[in-house]
Amino acid sequence: MAVHVLAVLAYKEGDRVTSTLLAGSINTNPVMVRRLLLDLQRAKLVETCKGAGSGSRLSRSPGRINLAEVFRAVEDSESFATPNRKPNAACPVGNCIRETLNRIFLSAQNALERDLEKTTLATLLDMVKTSGACGQKKVS
Amino acid sequence: MAVHVLAVLAYKEGDRVTSTLLAGSINTNPVMVRRLLLDLQRAKLVETCKGAGSGSRLSRSPGRINLAEVFRAVEDSESFATPNRKPNAACPVGNCIRETLNRIFLSAQNALERDLEKTTLATLLDMVKTSGACGQKKVS
DNA sequence: ATTTTATGTAATTTCAGTTGTTACATTATT
DNA sequence: AATAATGTAACAACTGAAATTACATAAAAT
């Protein structure tokens, strides 16, 4: 979903896009988009201006943004390896396994991110564009 | 959480363990454990018998079970790359991006699994055992 | 055989986290 | 000034996971 926003931004390269327009594009409401944009701003992936006629745009060219960065920008909100289960006393494995698993998952997540690094927003957009016959309609 | 169950099973190697005991160990209820065990049975990671004095045990030695297998056994239930967002028409990127992202995430997930393959249940257990000072109490 | 112990599974409820909505202050442009 | 946009908080609605309950079934123990 974060990727989707960035893809739209990349699509209209350079232009400032309002959160309302983005929201319509990914079929949600402006507030959700703005919340997401805050993460992306923190990660220095987008620049947002307030005021009339403003909006957001990529802060770098799509070729210089890879998906691992995007993943990291939002990983807290969309994390996956969060066991979020309360540790249980009185179990010899239960006590320490959490910490050990964290280390293992961290390594696995690194592997995942290294793979995501291979794809930039620009190549993603190319893939989407050339991915054959999707019912293409003009955007509003 | 699936890993946790298997770790306990590995801990009492060979013994049959009831779902009730496992549930207490990971601090949940027996039904959750049984549902999880069904996945693990399908993946041929555990063997379960009904009847009095029965329960589950690993179907292989912990050294021959790696974490990628565990991940795959439960990935449908605990999947992470599920954008679960309805596709939205009338957006040129929105239409095709789903499918493209799926391909990319599949690759990333492969990378993740290849990393998980490096760790077996046995090494995990070793790590837990030697991971220093955790308040160890005897299990019930 | 009957009782006991355990799994398999469905139906329902409970709970938490996410998402959506509304509202409004703030800021920049026109 | 007036307008158009973001930032942000408060709250409602929704969704999905987990817990609970219940019961049928199967295997073992007696």
Side-chain angles (χ1 to χ4, degrees), chain A residues 1-10 22 26 32-33 35-37 39-40 45-46 58 65 67 69-75 77-78 121 124, chain B residues 83 85 97 101 105:
Chain A
M1 158 158 177
V3 186
H4 196 156
V5 167
L6 290 168
V8 175
L9 287 178
L22 286 170
I26 72 172
M32 289 298 297
V33 173
R35 291 204 264 249
L36 183 56
L37 285 172
D39 284 340
L40 298 175
L45 294 176
V46 304
L58 298 180
I65 296 179
L67 298 188
E69 295 178 275
V70 180
F71 178 80
R72 280 190 288 265
V74 298
E75 73 176 326
S77 18
E78 305 182 2
L121 219 50
L124 171 68
Chain B
R85 183 154 281 288
I97 200 173
L101 276 180
F105 275 129

Side-chain angles (χ1 to χ4, degrees), chain A residues 3-4 7 11 121-134 136, chain B residues 91-101 103-104:
Chain A
V3 186
H4 196 156
Y11 182 74
L121 219 50
T123 49
L124 171 68
L125 208 59
D126 281 349
M127 289 169 80
V128 171
K129 279 179 188 162
T130 66
S131 80
C134 285
Q136 301 269 107
Chain B
C91 171
V93 298
N95 283 324
C96 306
I97 200 173
R98 166 83 32 127
E99 167 192 9
T100 307
L101 276 180
R103 245 189 305 157
I104 291 170

